Amino acid sequence: MTAKTARAAAVALAAAALTAALGGPASAAPVPQPQTATAENRAAAHEAAAAPDTLATLSRFFAREGKVSVAAARPRIEGDAVPVSYLAPEFVAGKAGAPVARLEFLASEAVSSDGQKAALWTAKTGAGWQVVNIATGDDEFRYAALGAAKLPGGTVFREPQIDAWYVAGGERVLPLDEDAVRAVGPAGVSLGAYRARVVKAYGDKLPGSAYAQRGLAGGFAEAAAPPGGGAGAGAFETGGAAEAAGAGGGPGVVLAGGAGALALGAAGAVALLRRRRTAGG
């Protein structure tokens, strides 16, 4: 299994510069994401990712560790934006007809001249489609391809509480990475069995629960979740990139790299930060 990319080092870029580069302040209120990634949505996400100011920011991102200079980075956007879905709280709550996952953002793959890769997370905000996160690696695209090969037509999604990737279709949930294998086994489980597992793990930690009202929920993930078990200290992560963009009224740009995390310009974005763990983590 391909080792997971590290997604967690702070990137020291000026918040003011990023605000200007990525379109200025986003809406202060979270904006619901579309239920599906239509051709129109994909085109808008791609346009935001390929904008000149975004590419300029990417040049600085790729140059942050000195692997390539800002001038030589020459980032490019490859392929179409792909939908990225997360385990849906409505599914965990047992809402009738709720899908197992919901769309959180669209991801565009950026590649530098020296081969570095990054994912641009693009979400619908009050100011339109904006890049709200830049993360190292290519997880979103690798798992989209793996899921399509393993279960054509299925829904690829992430369970962020344990950093596990799956593909669901019909009445089956199949694992796509080692974390998912630990959770549901190499052959996967029925949709009903998967629901039972996540209800047990997160059913008392959903938004609005006493756990959340005590301020314990929000995706901090200070303690790792036991395989197939509870959510650890991070509780049930919800909201995704769009809420990170809107929190505090700032641009909500979250940059993630090698071993820590920094949210720039959005007071609430740290609580919603998704981490890529180091290989084997």
Side-chain angles (χ1 to χ4, degrees), residues 158-267:
R158 181 173 178 244
E159 185 183 330
Q161 296 79 12
I162 60 171
D163 196 20
W165 288 85
Y166 309 85
V167 59
E171 292 298 317
R172 297 295 297 174
V173 177
L174 305 179
L176 296 177
D177 69 355
E178 65 274 15
D179 293 300
V181 169
R182 284 194 289 268
V184 301
V189 294
S190 69
L191 188 63
Y194 180 73
R195 187 197 295 271
R197 191 189 74 79
V198 296
V199 167
K200 180 179 180 181
Y202 316 123
D204 61 345
K205 300 175 179 66
L206 290 166
S209 66
Y211 188 93
Q213 290 170 1
R214 293 200 305 272
L216 299 175
F220 288 95
E222 295 293 344
F236 194 90
E237 293 184 42
T238 62
E243 283 198 29
V253 179
V254 180
L255 299 180
L262 177 66
L264 300 178

Side-chain angles (χ1 to χ4, degrees), residues 13-22 57 60:
L13 294 176
L18 285 170
T19 303
L22 295 181
T57 300
R60 299 194 295 276

Side-chain angles (χ1 to χ4, degrees), residues 37-66:
T38 64
E40 181 181 4
N41 292 335
R42 289 174 187 261
H46 180 84
E47 182 178 356
D53 287 342
T54 305
L55 296 178
T57 300
L58 275 169
S59 293
R60 299 194 295 276
F61 180 83
F62 286 130
R64 70 196 185 282
E65 294 178 351

Side-chain angles (χ1 to χ4, degrees), residues 13-28 121-134 241-255 263-269:
L13 294 176
L18 285 170
T19 303
L22 295 181
S27 168
W121 295 7
T122 309
K124 189 175 183 180
T125 73
W129 285 88
Q130 291 185 320
V131 174
V132 295
N133 188 63
I134 303 174
E243 283 198 29
V253 179
V254 180
L255 299 180
L264 300 178

Side-chain angles (χ1 to χ4, degrees), residues 1-6 143 163 178-179 182 276-281:
M1 196 69 195
T2 304
K4 293 195 174 183
T5 5
Y143 292 120
D163 196 20
E178 65 274 15
D179 293 300
R182 284 194 289 268
R276 281 186 184 164
R277 297 182 304 206
T278 54

